[in-house]
Each structure stands twice: as C-alpha cells, then as structure tokens.
Amino acid sequence: MFQLDFNEIIIRVIAFLIAIAVHEGAHAYTAHWLGDPTPEREGRLTLNPLKHVDPIGFLMILFGPFGWARPVTTNPAMYKGSRRIGILLVAAMGPIANFLLAAVVALLYKSLSGMMFTNAHTAAILSSLFTTMIMINVALFVFNLLPLYPLDGEKILRSLVPLRHLGFFYKMETYGPFILLLIVFIPVLGRTILWPPILGLMRLFLF
C-alpha cells in the first residue's frame, strides 16, 4: 500500500476531493432547495471539499480500498412537500452528481485525447487524472447505491417501499455497516457485487 508514487498520490487526492465535494454538495444544495436550512447553518452549502472531508476517510482513499466524506446533516421535517419524496431526492442527488461528473470528465478526456502534447509526462499525468476521476466517481456512484444503511441507496429504497415495510429497514440499521465492511474487505464479495457494475460503467465512459 506504500508503493504509490508522489504523482499518483496527488492525483488521487485531487480526484477524491472533487468527487466528495460534488457528492456532498449535491446533498446539501438539494436539501436547501427543499427548504431545509441545516446544511447552510452547518457550513455545508458549498463545493469547498475541505468542508466535507472526513480525516480517516481521506486517509483510507489514499492507502486503503475505499474512503468516505463527512455526511451532510439534513432535517427531513423541514422539507417542503412530501417528506418521503424529499428524502428520496436528497439521497439520490449525491450518486447522480458523481455519475454526471464521471460523464463530463469522460467527454473532456475523449476531447483532449486527440490533442498533441509536446510533453509526454504532462500527457501521462492528465490521462491518469482523468481516468482516476472517472474511476472514483463511478465507484462512489455504485457503492452509494447499495441498499444498505447508512448509504444513499438504503434511503432511496426506504422512501419507495410501502410504509408497512419500514420496520425491516429499522432492524437492518444494526447490520448494514457490518455488511458493508464484509463487502469491502472480503475480495470475493467486492469482485462479485461491486466490480461488475463499476467495470461496466468504466467501459461505457472510456470506450
């Protein structure tokens, strides 16, 4: 895990900071649009990545298999209109923002790939930055859509099922984090659950 060179570390830092700023910013701005003042009051209504960084999650993205940001706190009781629809929108906009960012970076990457760079080192760094940004955003999109607490996918699913089934989700809150750790740290589970959609989207964006 300590074999990363300096350029790769810098590239991963930049890509991760941009990805979490877009993801958490999307949650915050959506909640604000729905009438919840909590993100603005807590200083999260911004795309400044430093406002969204979790120190341990930041280190994990550098040296571990995954990382995370500091979740945006929202108050669904303040949402205008249907609370369940509000929860759905706020939860969904984080992964959607990562997907859209990956698509934009992929288009930019393809547009620049035909350009001639006089410095091969510069071309290699830009290529690595673009592909890393696409990979991290795709991974965040897929991972956060897993229907497990405390991820966005669980909130999305919870807001869609009939109210009579909500008790199941309350019971699963205890087990969700442990299941996520198993998926991340047991390679066969990660390869089975996460990698097929991640690789499929990477092929879509890069080829």
Side-chain angles (χ1 to χ4, degrees):
M1 83 178 175
F2 295 105
Q3 295 178 349
L4 298 176
D5 62 29
F6 181 74
N7 286 336
E8 187 174 351
I9 291 175
I10 295 300
I11 286 170
R12 193 175 291 191
V13 167
I14 293 172
F16 178 68
L17 290 178
I18 293 173
I20 65 168
V22 168
H23 182 99
E24 298 300 335
H27 287 317
Y29 280 102
T30 304
H32 179 76
W33 176 71
L34 288 170
D36 180 11
T38 309
E40 183 176 21
R41 186 171 60 243
E42 297 186 352
R44 306 298 300 279
L45 198 64
T46 177
L47 292 177
N48 178 358
L50 298 181
K51 298 292 186 178
H52 303 298
V53 166
D54 178 276
I56 298 176
F58 179 71
L59 291 175
M60 287 296 292
I61 198 65
L62 295 179
F63 304 114
F66 75 115
W68 60 87
R70 187 162 60 94
V72 170
T73 301
T74 67
N75 182 4
M78 301 295 293
Y79 296 165
K80 295 178 291 187
S82 169
R83 185 181 304 184
R84 298 191 81 199
I85 293 177
I87 292 172
L88 170 63
L89 291 174
V90 172
M93 283 310 298
I96 288 173
N98 287 127
F99 181 89
L100 293 177
L101 180 56
V104 169
V105 173
L107 289 173
L108 183 60
Y109 181 49
K110 291 177 180 179
S111 300
L112 295 178
S113 61
M115 296 178 60
M116 297 297 293
F117 289 94
T118 56
N119 189 317
H121 183 63
T122 300
I125 289 177
L126 286 176
S127 177
S128 179
L129 175 61
F130 286 139
T131 54
T132 301
M133 286 186 65
I134 295 169
M135 170 62 81
I136 287 178
N137 279 281
V138 164
L140 286 175
F141 171 73
V142 172
F143 185 76
N144 277 286
L145 286 181
L146 291 176
L148 294 169
Y149 180 85
L151 299 180
D152 298 321
E154 191 267 355
K155 297 181 180 70
I156 294 170
L157 183 59
R158 185 188 295 216
S159 66
L160 292 173
V161 302
L163 292 174
R164 64 180 180 273
H165 296 309
L166 291 183
F168 170 79
F169 291 90
Y170 295 131
K171 293 177 183 177
M172 287 300 296
E173 287 182 4
T174 302
Y175 305 105
F178 296 103
I179 297 173
L180 289 176
L181 289 175
L182 292 177
I183 293 173
V184 169
F185 288 106
I186 296 180
V188 67
L189 291 179
R191 287 195 300 267
T192 302
I193 297 171
L194 296 176
W195 279 108
I198 289 175
L199 293 177
L201 286 171
M202 290 293 292
R203 294 190 190 98
L204 174 67
F205 286 134
L206 292 176
F207 299 104

PDB file of all heavy atoms in Angstrom, residues 109-140:
ATOM      1  N   TYR A 109     -12.076  14.028 -21.436  1.00  0.00           N
ATOM      2  CA  TYR A 109     -10.928  13.154 -21.694  1.00  0.00           C
ATOM      3  C   TYR A 109     -10.874  12.742 -23.165  1.00  0.00           C
ATOM      4  O   TYR A 109      -9.817  12.782 -23.810  1.00  0.00           O
ATOM      5  CB  TYR A 109     -11.027  11.931 -20.796  1.00  0.00           C
ATOM      6  CG  TYR A 109      -9.900  10.933 -20.936  1.00  0.00           C
ATOM      7  CD1 TYR A 109      -8.572  11.344 -20.915  1.00  0.00           C
ATOM      8  CD2 TYR A 109     -10.174   9.576 -21.075  1.00  0.00           C
ATOM      9  CE1 TYR A 109      -7.546  10.430 -21.030  1.00  0.00           C
ATOM     10  CE2 TYR A 109      -9.153   8.647 -21.195  1.00  0.00           C
ATOM     11  CZ  TYR A 109      -7.844   9.080 -21.167  1.00  0.00           C
ATOM     12  OH  TYR A 109      -6.828   8.179 -21.291  1.00  0.00           O
ATOM     13  N   LYS A 110     -12.031  12.360 -23.722  1.00  0.00           N
ATOM     14  CA  LYS A 110     -12.066  11.958 -25.124  1.00  0.00           C
ATOM     15  C   LYS A 110     -11.784  13.138 -26.044  1.00  0.00           C
ATOM     16  O   LYS A 110     -11.157  12.984 -27.095  1.00  0.00           O
ATOM     17  CB  LYS A 110     -13.424  11.336 -25.447  1.00  0.00           C
ATOM     18  CG  LYS A 110     -13.656   9.992 -24.778  1.00  0.00           C
ATOM     19  CD  LYS A 110     -15.042   9.446 -25.069  1.00  0.00           C
ATOM     20  CE  LYS A 110     -15.259   8.103 -24.386  1.00  0.00           C
ATOM     21  NZ  LYS A 110     -16.623   7.551 -24.633  1.00  0.00           N
ATOM     22  N   SER A 111     -12.240  14.325 -25.650  1.00  0.00           N
ATOM     23  CA  SER A 111     -11.996  15.519 -26.460  1.00  0.00           C
ATOM     24  C   SER A 111     -10.517  15.874 -26.499  1.00  0.00           C
ATOM     25  O   SER A 111      -9.990  16.303 -27.536  1.00  0.00           O
ATOM     26  CB  SER A 111     -12.798  16.703 -25.928  1.00  0.00           C
ATOM     27  OG  SER A 111     -14.182  16.434 -25.965  1.00  0.00           O
ATOM     28  N   LEU A 112      -9.841  15.701 -25.371  1.00  0.00           N
ATOM     29  CA  LEU A 112      -8.428  16.070 -25.285  1.00  0.00           C
ATOM     30  C   LEU A 112      -7.499  14.964 -25.761  1.00  0.00           C
ATOM     31  O   LEU A 112      -6.320  15.226 -26.006  1.00  0.00           O
ATOM     32  CB  LEU A 112      -8.070  16.439 -23.842  1.00  0.00           C
ATOM     33  CG  LEU A 112      -8.744  17.686 -23.271  1.00  0.00           C
ATOM     34  CD1 LEU A 112      -8.342  17.895 -21.817  1.00  0.00           C
ATOM     35  CD2 LEU A 112      -8.380  18.919 -24.095  1.00  0.00           C
ATOM     36  N   SER A 113      -8.030  13.742 -25.877  1.00  0.00           N
ATOM     37  CA  SER A 113      -7.147  12.627 -26.222  1.00  0.00           C
ATOM     38  C   SER A 113      -6.564  12.756 -27.618  1.00  0.00           C
ATOM     39  O   SER A 113      -5.497  12.208 -27.910  1.00  0.00           O
ATOM     40  CB  SER A 113      -7.910  11.296 -26.118  1.00  0.00           C
ATOM     41  OG  SER A 113      -9.004  11.274 -27.028  1.00  0.00           O
ATOM     42  N   GLY A 114      -7.231  13.507 -28.483  1.00  0.00           N
ATOM     43  CA  GLY A 114      -6.704  13.690 -29.830  1.00  0.00           C
ATOM     44  C   GLY A 114      -5.708  14.829 -29.943  1.00  0.00           C
ATOM     45  O   GLY A 114      -5.098  15.013 -31.009  1.00  0.00           O
ATOM     46  N   MET A 115      -5.522  15.581 -28.883  1.00  0.00           N
ATOM     47  CA  MET A 115      -4.587  16.700 -28.920  1.00  0.00           C
ATOM     48  C   MET A 115      -3.160  16.210 -28.791  1.00  0.00           C
ATOM     49  O   MET A 115      -2.871  15.199 -28.165  1.00  0.00           O
ATOM     50  CB  MET A 115      -4.896  17.698 -27.793  1.00  0.00           C
ATOM     51  CG  MET A 115      -6.256  18.369 -27.904  1.00  0.00           C
ATOM     52  SD  MET A 115      -6.598  19.485 -26.516  1.00  0.00           S
ATOM     53  CE  MET A 115      -5.234  20.644 -26.678  1.00  0.00           C
ATOM     54  N   MET A 116      -2.271  16.937 -29.396  1.00  0.00           N
ATOM     55  CA  MET A 116      -0.846  16.597 -29.339  1.00  0.00           C
ATOM     56  C   MET A 116      -0.185  17.391 -28.208  1.00  0.00           C
ATOM     57  O   MET A 116      -0.216  18.620 -28.205  1.00  0.00           O
ATOM     58  CB  MET A 116      -0.166  16.930 -30.672  1.00  0.00           C
ATOM     59  CG  MET A 116      -0.696  16.132 -31.858  1.00  0.00           C
ATOM     60  SD  MET A 116      -0.395  14.347 -31.680  1.00  0.00           S
ATOM     61  CE  MET A 116       1.397  14.330 -31.794  1.00  0.00           C
ATOM     62  N   PHE A 117       0.376  16.665 -27.249  1.00  0.00           N
ATOM     63  CA  PHE A 117       1.102  17.312 -26.158  1.00  0.00           C
ATOM     64  C   PHE A 117       2.598  17.186 -26.430  1.00  0.00           C
ATOM     65  O   PHE A 117       3.100  16.095 -26.712  1.00  0.00           O
ATOM     66  CB  PHE A 117       0.759  16.653 -24.811  1.00  0.00           C
ATOM     67  CG  PHE A 117      -0.631  16.949 -24.334  1.00  0.00           C
ATOM     68  CD1 PHE A 117      -1.679  16.069 -24.625  1.00  0.00           C
ATOM     69  CD2 PHE A 117      -0.907  18.091 -23.624  1.00  0.00           C
ATOM     70  CE1 PHE A 117      -2.962  16.341 -24.191  1.00  0.00           C
ATOM     71  CE2 PHE A 117      -2.195  18.363 -23.179  1.00  0.00           C
ATOM     72  CZ  PHE A 117      -3.224  17.484 -23.466  1.00  0.00           C
ATOM     73  N   THR A 118       3.290  18.319 -26.349  1.00  0.00           N
ATOM     74  CA  THR A 118       4.731  18.286 -26.592  1.00  0.00           C
ATOM     75  C   THR A 118       5.466  17.586 -25.464  1.00  0.00           C
ATOM     76  O   THR A 118       6.561  17.060 -25.660  1.00  0.00           O
ATOM     77  CB  THR A 118       5.271  19.720 -26.736  1.00  0.00           C
ATOM     78  OG1 THR A 118       4.914  20.470 -25.554  1.00  0.00           O
ATOM     79  CG2 THR A 118       4.660  20.406 -27.958  1.00  0.00           C
ATOM     80  N   ASN A 119       4.863  17.562 -24.278  1.00  0.00           N
ATOM     81  CA  ASN A 119       5.490  16.927 -23.123  1.00  0.00           C
ATOM     82  C   ASN A 119       4.748  15.630 -22.810  1.00  0.00           C
ATOM     83  O   ASN A 119       3.586  15.655 -22.399  1.00  0.00           O
ATOM     84  CB  ASN A 119       5.447  17.884 -21.925  1.00  0.00           C
ATOM     85  CG  ASN A 119       6.280  17.381 -20.761  1.00  0.00           C
ATOM     86  OD1 ASN A 119       6.244  16.201 -20.430  1.00  0.00           O
ATOM     87  ND2 ASN A 119       7.017  18.291 -20.133  1.00  0.00           N
ATOM     88  N   ALA A 120       5.412  14.509 -23.005  1.00  0.00           N
ATOM     89  CA  ALA A 120       4.783  13.211 -22.774  1.00  0.00           C
ATOM     90  C   ALA A 120       4.425  13.028 -21.305  1.00  0.00           C
ATOM     91  O   ALA A 120       3.424  12.373 -20.979  1.00  0.00           O
ATOM     92  CB  ALA A 120       5.710  12.089 -23.237  1.00  0.00           C
ATOM     93  N   HIS A 121       5.234  13.612 -20.414  1.00  0.00           N
ATOM     94  CA  HIS A 121       4.953  13.491 -18.984  1.00  0.00           C
ATOM     95  C   HIS A 121       3.643  14.187 -18.627  1.00  0.00           C
ATOM     96  O   HIS A 121       2.828  13.662 -17.857  1.00  0.00           O
ATOM     97  CB  HIS A 121       6.112  14.081 -18.185  1.00  0.00           C
ATOM     98  CG  HIS A 121       5.962  13.951 -16.699  1.00  0.00           C
ATOM     99  ND1 HIS A 121       5.915  12.731 -16.061  1.00  0.00           N
ATOM    100  CD2 HIS A 121       5.845  14.895 -15.724  1.00  0.00           C
ATOM    101  CE1 HIS A 121       5.785  12.916 -14.763  1.00  0.00           C
ATOM    102  NE2 HIS A 121       5.733  14.222 -14.531  1.00  0.00           N
ATOM    103  N   THR A 122       3.426  15.375 -19.207  1.00  0.00           N
ATOM    104  CA  THR A 122       2.175  16.102 -18.978  1.00  0.00           C
ATOM    105  C   THR A 122       0.985  15.304 -19.483  1.00  0.00           C
ATOM    106  O   THR A 122      -0.051  15.214 -18.817  1.00  0.00           O
ATOM    107  CB  THR A 122       2.212  17.470 -19.681  1.00  0.00           C
ATOM    108  OG1 THR A 122       3.298  18.245 -19.159  1.00  0.00           O
ATOM    109  CG2 THR A 122       0.899  18.217 -19.472  1.00  0.00           C
ATOM    110  N   ALA A 123       1.113  14.716 -20.651  1.00  0.00           N
ATOM    111  CA  ALA A 123       0.038  13.908 -21.220  1.00  0.00           C
ATOM    112  C   ALA A 123      -0.282  12.723 -20.319  1.00  0.00           C
ATOM    113  O   ALA A 123      -1.455  12.388 -20.103  1.00  0.00           O
ATOM    114  CB  ALA A 123       0.424  13.424 -22.617  1.00  0.00           C
ATOM    115  N   ALA A 124       0.745  12.088 -19.779  1.00  0.00           N
ATOM    116  CA  ALA A 124       0.535  10.926 -18.916  1.00  0.00           C
ATOM    117  C   ALA A 124      -0.161  11.331 -17.618  1.00  0.00           C
ATOM    118  O   ALA A 124      -1.047  10.616 -17.129  1.00  0.00           O
ATOM    119  CB  ALA A 124       1.870  10.255 -18.615  1.00  0.00           C
ATOM    120  N   ILE A 125       0.222  12.474 -17.055  1.00  0.00           N
ATOM    121  CA  ILE A 125      -0.396  12.942 -15.813  1.00  0.00           C
ATOM    122  C   ILE A 125      -1.861  13.283 -16.043  1.00  0.00           C
ATOM    123  O   ILE A 125      -2.736  12.914 -15.247  1.00  0.00           O
ATOM    124  CB  ILE A 125       0.368  14.157 -15.250  1.00  0.00           C
ATOM    125  CG1 ILE A 125       1.734  13.727 -14.709  1.00  0.00           C
ATOM    126  CG2 ILE A 125      -0.440  14.838 -14.152  1.00  0.00           C
ATOM    127  CD1 ILE A 125       2.577  14.856 -14.196  1.00  0.00           C
ATOM    128  N   LEU A 126      -2.169  13.976 -17.145  1.00  0.00           N
ATOM    129  CA  LEU A 126      -3.558  14.327 -17.446  1.00  0.00           C
ATOM    130  C   LEU A 126      -4.395  13.069 -17.672  1.00  0.00           C
ATOM    131  O   LEU A 126      -5.534  12.979 -17.193  1.00  0.00           O
ATOM    132  CB  LEU A 126      -3.615  15.231 -18.676  1.00  0.00           C
ATOM    133  CG  LEU A 126      -3.164  16.670 -18.478  1.00  0.00           C
ATOM    134  CD1 LEU A 126      -3.172  17.424 -19.809  1.00  0.00           C
ATOM    135  CD2 LEU A 126      -4.062  17.383 -17.473  1.00  0.00           C
ATOM    136  N   SER A 127      -3.837  12.110 -18.376  1.00  0.00           N
ATOM    137  CA  SER A 127      -4.552  10.855 -18.612  1.00  0.00           C
ATOM    138  C   SER A 127      -4.842  10.144 -17.294  1.00  0.00           C
ATOM    139  O   SER A 127      -5.954   9.646 -17.072  1.00  0.00           O
ATOM    140  CB  SER A 127      -3.735   9.953 -19.533  1.00  0.00           C
ATOM    141  OG  SER A 127      -4.376   8.713 -19.714  1.00  0.00           O
ATOM    142  N   SER A 128      -3.852  10.117 -16.414  1.00  0.00           N
ATOM    143  CA  SER A 128      -4.036   9.469 -15.113  1.00  0.00           C
ATOM    144  C   SER A 128      -5.068  10.208 -14.270  1.00  0.00           C
ATOM    145  O   SER A 128      -5.898   9.584 -13.600  1.00  0.00           O
ATOM    146  CB  SER A 128      -2.699   9.408 -14.369  1.00  0.00           C
ATOM    147  OG  SER A 128      -2.853   8.802 -13.112  1.00  0.00           O
ATOM    148  N   LEU A 129      -5.035  11.544 -14.318  1.00  0.00           N
ATOM    149  CA  LEU A 129      -6.007  12.342 -13.549  1.00  0.00           C
ATOM    150  C   LEU A 129      -7.426  12.082 -14.030  1.00  0.00           C
ATOM    151  O   LEU A 129      -8.334  11.851 -13.226  1.00  0.00           O
ATOM    152  CB  LEU A 129      -5.671  13.831 -13.669  1.00  0.00           C
ATOM    153  CG  LEU A 129      -6.665  14.794 -13.012  1.00  0.00           C
ATOM    154  CD1 LEU A 129      -6.762  14.546 -11.508  1.00  0.00           C
ATOM    155  CD2 LEU A 129      -6.275  16.242 -13.289  1.00  0.00           C
ATOM    156  N   PHE A 130      -7.617  12.097 -15.344  1.00  0.00           N
ATOM    157  CA  PHE A 130      -8.964  11.889 -15.888  1.00  0.00           C
ATOM    158  C   PHE A 130      -9.485  10.495 -15.562  1.00  0.00           C
ATOM    159  O   PHE A 130     -10.633  10.329 -15.134  1.00  0.00           O
ATOM    160  CB  PHE A 130      -8.971  12.120 -17.393  1.00  0.00           C
ATOM    161  CG  PHE A 130      -8.872  13.566 -17.791  1.00  0.00           C
ATOM    162  CD1 PHE A 130      -8.082  13.965 -18.850  1.00  0.00           C
ATOM    163  CD2 PHE A 130      -9.592  14.540 -17.108  1.00  0.00           C
ATOM    164  CE1 PHE A 130      -7.985  15.297 -19.219  1.00  0.00           C
ATOM    165  CE2 PHE A 130      -9.513  15.875 -17.461  1.00  0.00           C
ATOM    166  CZ  PHE A 130      -8.707  16.254 -18.526  1.00  0.00           C
ATOM    167  N   THR A 131      -8.664   9.482 -15.774  1.00  0.00           N
ATOM    168  CA  THR A 131      -9.126   8.114 -15.526  1.00  0.00           C
ATOM    169  C   THR A 131      -9.379   7.879 -14.039  1.00  0.00           C
ATOM    170  O   THR A 131     -10.324   7.176 -13.664  1.00  0.00           O
ATOM    171  CB  THR A 131      -8.121   7.086 -16.051  1.00  0.00           C
ATOM    172  OG1 THR A 131      -6.822   7.351 -15.512  1.00  0.00           O
ATOM    173  CG2 THR A 131      -8.053   7.122 -17.571  1.00  0.00           C
ATOM    174  N   THR A 132      -8.551   8.478 -13.181  1.00  0.00           N
ATOM    175  CA  THR A 132      -8.757   8.339 -11.736  1.00  0.00           C
ATOM    176  C   THR A 132     -10.042   9.037 -11.304  1.00  0.00           C
ATOM    177  O   THR A 132     -10.799   8.509 -10.481  1.00  0.00           O
ATOM    178  CB  THR A 132      -7.559   8.919 -10.955  1.00  0.00           C
ATOM    179  OG1 THR A 132      -6.359   8.233 -11.337  1.00  0.00           O
ATOM    180  CG2 THR A 132      -7.764   8.750  -9.451  1.00  0.00           C
ATOM    181  N   MET A 133     -10.296  10.216 -11.864  1.00  0.00           N
ATOM    182  CA  MET A 133     -11.538  10.916 -11.532  1.00  0.00           C
ATOM    183  C   MET A 133     -12.756  10.111 -11.967  1.00  0.00           C
ATOM    184  O   MET A 133     -13.749  10.018 -11.232  1.00  0.00           O
ATOM    185  CB  MET A 133     -11.556  12.302 -12.189  1.00  0.00           C
ATOM    186  CG  MET A 133     -10.641  13.308 -11.538  1.00  0.00           C
ATOM    187  SD  MET A 133     -10.824  14.977 -12.238  1.00  0.00           S
ATOM    188  CE  MET A 133     -12.508  15.371 -11.750  1.00  0.00           C
ATOM    189  N   ILE A 134     -12.687   9.523 -13.157  1.00  0.00           N
ATOM    190  CA  ILE A 134     -13.803   8.708 -13.626  1.00  0.00           C
ATOM    191  C   ILE A 134     -13.990   7.504 -12.714  1.00  0.00           C
ATOM    192  O   ILE A 134     -15.104   7.186 -12.299  1.00  0.00           O
ATOM    193  CB  ILE A 134     -13.573   8.271 -15.083  1.00  0.00           C
ATOM    194  CG1 ILE A 134     -13.575   9.494 -16.006  1.00  0.00           C
ATOM    195  CG2 ILE A 134     -14.648   7.279 -15.520  1.00  0.00           C
ATOM    196  CD1 ILE A 134     -13.094   9.197 -17.418  1.00  0.00           C
ATOM    197  N   MET A 135     -12.891   6.829 -12.385  1.00  0.00           N
ATOM    198  CA  MET A 135     -12.961   5.636 -11.543  1.00  0.00           C
ATOM    199  C   MET A 135     -13.548   5.950 -10.168  1.00  0.00           C
ATOM    200  O   MET A 135     -14.449   5.248  -9.680  1.00  0.00           O
ATOM    201  CB  MET A 135     -11.575   5.022 -11.391  1.00  0.00           C
ATOM    202  CG  MET A 135     -11.485   3.917 -10.334  1.00  0.00           C
ATOM    203  SD  MET A 135     -12.522   2.485 -10.702  1.00  0.00           S
ATOM    204  CE  MET A 135     -11.466   1.636 -11.858  1.00  0.00           C
ATOM    205  N   ILE A 136     -13.063   7.000  -9.507  1.00  0.00           N
ATOM    206  CA  ILE A 136     -13.539   7.321  -8.163  1.00  0.00           C
ATOM    207  C   ILE A 136     -15.013   7.710  -8.188  1.00  0.00           C
ATOM    208  O   ILE A 136     -15.799   7.288  -7.328  1.00  0.00           O
ATOM    209  CB  ILE A 136     -12.674   8.426  -7.537  1.00  0.00           C
ATOM    210  CG1 ILE A 136     -11.301   7.860  -7.153  1.00  0.00           C
ATOM    211  CG2 ILE A 136     -13.351   9.029  -6.303  1.00  0.00           C
ATOM    212  CD1 ILE A 136     -10.343   8.864  -6.559  1.00  0.00           C
ATOM    213  N   ASN A 137     -15.420   8.488  -9.172  1.00  0.00           N
ATOM    214  CA  ASN A 137     -16.819   8.903  -9.239  1.00  0.00           C
ATOM    215  C   ASN A 137     -17.740   7.741  -9.577  1.00  0.00           C
ATOM    216  O   ASN A 137     -18.846   7.635  -9.032  1.00  0.00           O
ATOM    217  CB  ASN A 137     -16.984  10.043 -10.251  1.00  0.00           C
ATOM    218  CG  ASN A 137     -16.608  11.384  -9.674  1.00  0.00           C
ATOM    219  OD1 ASN A 137     -17.380  11.997  -8.942  1.00  0.00           O
ATOM    220  ND2 ASN A 137     -15.402  11.842  -9.979  1.00  0.00           N
ATOM    221  N   VAL A 138     -17.300   6.862 -10.461  1.00  0.00           N
ATOM    222  CA  VAL A 138     -18.091   5.673 -10.770  1.00  0.00           C
ATOM    223  C   VAL A 138     -18.196   4.786  -9.531  1.00  0.00           C
ATOM    224  O   VAL A 138     -19.269   4.257  -9.215  1.00  0.00           O
ATOM    225  CB  VAL A 138     -17.464   4.900 -11.949  1.00  0.00           C
ATOM    226  CG1 VAL A 138     -18.027   3.485 -12.041  1.00  0.00           C
ATOM    227  CG2 VAL A 138     -17.707   5.643 -13.254  1.00  0.00           C
ATOM    228  N   ALA A 139     -17.073   4.605  -8.824  1.00  0.00           N
ATOM    229  CA  ALA A 139     -17.087   3.770  -7.620  1.00  0.00           C
ATOM    230  C   ALA A 139     -18.011   4.358  -6.559  1.00  0.00           C
ATOM    231  O   ALA A 139     -18.765   3.618  -5.901  1.00  0.00           O
ATOM    232  CB  ALA A 139     -15.672   3.629  -7.069  1.00  0.00           C
ATOM    233  N   LEU A 140     -17.985   5.672  -6.384  1.00  0.00           N
ATOM    234  CA  LEU A 140     -18.884   6.302  -5.413  1.00  0.00           C
ATOM    235  C   LEU A 140     -20.341   6.148  -5.834  1.00  0.00           C
ATOM    236  O   LEU A 140     -21.223   5.935  -4.988  1.00  0.00           O
ATOM    237  CB  LEU A 140     -18.530   7.785  -5.258  1.00  0.00           C
ATOM    238  CG  LEU A 140     -17.267   8.099  -4.467  1.00  0.00           C
ATOM    239  CD1 LEU A 140     -16.974   9.599  -4.517  1.00  0.00           C
ATOM    240  CD2 LEU A 140     -17.394   7.645  -3.017  1.00  0.00           C
TER     241      LEU A 140
END
